[in-house]
Amino acid sequence: MLKSYQRRLFSSARVLAEASQKKHDILVIGGGPGGYVAAIKAAQLGFDTACVEKRGRLGGTCLNVGCIPSKALLNNSHLFHQIQHESKSRGIDIKGDVSINLPKFMDAKDKVVAQLTGGIEMLFKKYGVKYYKGAASFVDEHHVNIDPIEDGEKAVVKADNIIIATGSEATPFPGIEIDEERIVSSTGCLSLSEVPKRLVIIGGGIIGLEMGSVWSRLGSQVTVLEFQNAIGAGMDGEVSKATQKFLTKQGLKFKLGAKVTKGVREGEVVKIEYEDTKSGKTESLEADVLLVAVGRRPYLKGLNAEAIGLDIEKRGRVVIDSQFKTKFDHIRCIGDATFGPMLAHKAEEEGIAAVEYIKNGHGHVNYANIPAVMYSHPEVAWVGQTEEQLKEAGIKYKVGKFPFIANSRAKTNMDTEGFVKFIADAETERVLGCHIIGPNAGEMIAEAGLALEYGASTEDIARVCHAHPTLSEAFKEAAGSVFGKPINF
């Protein structure tokens, strides 16, 4: 043990001696949604701020190989699907065949990514954030070594405060080897070179269902293998069943209670085996592409966290307190690298709060009010508690619902799938949760978040005048149906 400690001291001393040293008030490790937001906020508050990112482009997984490119594919594939299947019913005649030019389809996605990641660099310049292109590793609890990439500079940075925002990576599946060609992660699934005839997805969570939607619209036969007996982890039970129903109607096939035991590439085919957990029988499938989408895990590779003795729990998350502090008061951790839902907007809120703690000694993130959205069509969005959570907690509640088929704007748009569902306290009618399947659900859920944050009741919402004709009227009617009957249904 002593020799190991002495070796680390010797190595640290050598690194400090060999590299040019820089000094900053705050160093953010990681340029994803949590990291770049923290860096910009710190600079706005007057700190000498730096951010180090080893990808070569800012924005993290979200902007580069996650939220943004997937939404570009979802939007454009939905447009293609509408042109193919809805044009005639809308009085639009298309002459000739409608087809996908996959290289240009992917290029449109890549252009959006490049614009947004470049935009963050411009914001760094605007606010004076020093951007280090390179890989960061702790020399000791006060110094971070930067191993440069591209045109980056080699340096050892000393910072009064350090924020770890290194994000997450796709969770591997034991025994299945990702080659990003025939057996892919969510990253590889964003850049397939051809539309697979058969796509099998391990995992019925948000990532798997969104990717399944994209490729199903483009012509793939999609089969989802989910170990649990419901899809959409975290969804309200009623919403989960309704989501599976509309996705099935769109062509996706689901095998629930499926325990995958094998996934092997043989030439241009992937052979999959799974056990039906109800019957115990082993079933087999073949696919042109297998997507492994079983979640994500914290990414701390190369950080050299063990050199300074950071506490990391068994699932790989950095242990922090309520102010995001690690065992060292000046080192904090936010986003996917620590506890809580792995969502970009959650990381952004933590980035702002962490910097505010450094500046003012106080900050705030309401973890009971973090919205989630699945960008299928219709969209699925929710915030607050589910019926299942309230039942488990023994809390009495009321439910109010309103279907989009009774909403005038949804009718005129010929887009009526889904409903708005409110869950409210049985006595006070204070909003406890809101769950939406429908067009623009991801935008509408923000109003529910505002109601939750300020303790509004469903009557408060129902008595606010909503413009007509809008989809948001379904939101108003659902709130009103908690304590009375809706007007239009």
Side-chain angles (χ1 to χ4, degrees), residues 22 24 27 50-53 130-134 146 153 155 157:
K22 309 287 184 179
H24 300 284
L27 173 68
C51 181
V52 54
E53 169 57 55
K130 172 66 176 177
Y131 174 27
Y132 293 101
K133 291 184 179 181
I146 297 173
E153 59 181 288
V157 175

Side-chain angles (χ1 to χ4, degrees), residues 11 79 94 108-109 139 151 157 175 185 210 223 226 242 266 278 341 346 350 366 386 394 412 419 482:
S11 176
L79 180 60
I94 306 293
K109 168 207 55 163
V139 179
D151 57 346
V157 175
S185 68
E210 288 186 346
T223 302
E226 169 56 50
E266 295 184 6
K278 293 181 181 177
K346 173 260 193 185
E350 289 183 334
N366 183 356
T386 65
T412 59
F419 54 83
V482 171

Side-chain angles (χ1 to χ4, degrees), residues 318-338:
V318 177
V319 177
I320 58 172
D321 67 8
S322 61
Q323 297 186 14
F324 311 106
K325 292 179 182 178
T326 65
K327 65 184 292 185
F328 303 101
D329 285 350
H330 68 288
I331 301 178
R332 299 172 196 254
C333 184
I334 62 170
D336 290 3
T338 188

Side-chain angles (χ1 to χ4, degrees), residues 96-280:
D97 293 333
V98 178
S99 60
I100 279 289
N101 181 326
L102 198 59
K104 287 190 175 180
F105 184 77
M106 292 297 177
D107 185 53
K109 168 207 55 163
D110 294 338
K111 284 180 179 177
V112 171
V113 170
Q115 288 168 358
L116 288 171
T117 54
I120 301 171
E121 277 203 55
M122 290 178 65
L123 286 171
F124 273 16
K125 291 176 182 177
K126 176 179 178 180
Y127 290 108
V129 177
K130 172 66 176 177
Y131 174 27
Y132 293 101
K133 291 184 179 181
S137 59
F138 280 104
V139 179
D140 55 38
E141 62 265 33
H142 296 286
H143 296 85
V144 174
N145 182 61
I146 297 173
D147 189 15
I149 60 168
E150 298 177 357
D151 57 346
E153 59 181 288
K154 184 172 181 60
V156 172
V157 175
K158 181 178 181 182
D160 295 332
N161 294 277
I162 298 170
I163 298 175
I164 299 169
T166 47
S168 61
E169 64 179 349
T171 301
F173 195 98
I176 296 181
E177 185 177 344
I178 303 286
D179 61 15
E180 299 296 18
E181 292 179 354
R182 295 291 172 181
I183 302 178
V184 301
S185 68
S186 56
T187 300
C189 201
L190 291 169
S191 302
L192 297 179
S193 58
E194 61 183 12
V195 178
K197 183 178 180 181
R198 300 162 299 176
L199 172 66
V200 172
I201 301 169
I202 304 176
I206 304 304
I207 294 173
L209 298 177
E210 288 186 346
M211 289 296 94
S213 293
V214 168
W215 294 105
S216 175
R217 294 166 186 164
L218 300 186
S220 295
Q221 299 171 4
V222 178
T223 302
V224 179
L225 304 176
E226 169 56 50
F227 179 73
Q228 303 296 332
N229 292 314
I231 64 168
M235 285 182 188
D236 177 84
E238 181 183 16
V239 172
S240 172
K241 290 176 183 176
T243 299
Q244 184 177 340
K245 185 176 179 180
F246 79 68
L247 288 173
T248 299
K249 192 162 59 175
Q250 292 175 11
L252 278 70
K253 295 180 180 179
F254 293 91
K255 296 185 184 294
L256 305 182
K259 181 182 179 182
V260 176
T261 56
K262 180 181 178 182
V264 178
R265 175 176 178 173
E266 295 184 6
E268 300 304 300
V269 174
V270 182
K271 296 188 175 182
I272 303 115
E273 290 184 1
Y274 66 94
E275 177 188 323
D276 186 317
T277 56
K278 293 181 181 177
S279 67

Side-chain angles (χ1 to χ4, degrees), residues 245-386:
K245 185 176 179 180
F246 79 68
L247 288 173
T248 299
K249 192 162 59 175
Q250 292 175 11
L252 278 70
K253 295 180 180 179
F254 293 91
K255 296 185 184 294
L256 305 182
K259 181 182 179 182
V260 176
T261 56
K262 180 181 178 182
V264 178
R265 175 176 178 173
E266 295 184 6
E268 300 304 300
V269 174
V270 182
K271 296 188 175 182
I272 303 115
E273 290 184 1
Y274 66 94
E275 177 188 323
D276 186 317
T277 56
K278 293 181 181 177
S279 67
K281 292 182 180 179
T282 296
E283 306 284 348
S284 60
L285 281 173
E286 288 190 355
D288 300 291
V289 173
L290 172 64
L291 165 61
V292 179
V294 292
R296 299 184 66 80
R297 65 182 183 182
Y299 184 86
L300 298 171
K301 289 178 184 175
L303 190 59
N304 203 25
E306 65 278 3
I308 62 172
L310 283 182
D311 292 331
I312 299 171
E313 52 85 77
K314 61 182 180 180
R315 293 180 62 182
R317 298 174 295 196
V318 177
V319 177
I320 58 172
D321 67 8
S322 61
Q323 297 186 14
F324 311 106
K325 292 179 182 178
T326 65
K327 65 184 292 185
F328 303 101
D329 285 350
H330 68 288
I331 301 178
R332 299 172 196 254
C333 184
I334 62 170
D336 290 3
T338 188
F339 299 87
M342 290 185 171
L343 296 168
H345 44 280
K346 173 260 193 185
E348 291 176 351
E349 295 301 311
E350 289 183 334
I352 291 172
V355 173
E356 288 176 337
Y357 273 120
I358 295 170
K359 179 71 174 182
N360 306 313
H362 55 81
H364 175 69
V365 177
N366 183 356
Y367 291 100
N369 192 6
I370 305 289
V373 184
M374 185 175 86
Y375 296 87
S376 52
H377 191 89
E379 293 178 352
V380 184
W382 65 96
V383 68
Q385 298 181 81
T386 65

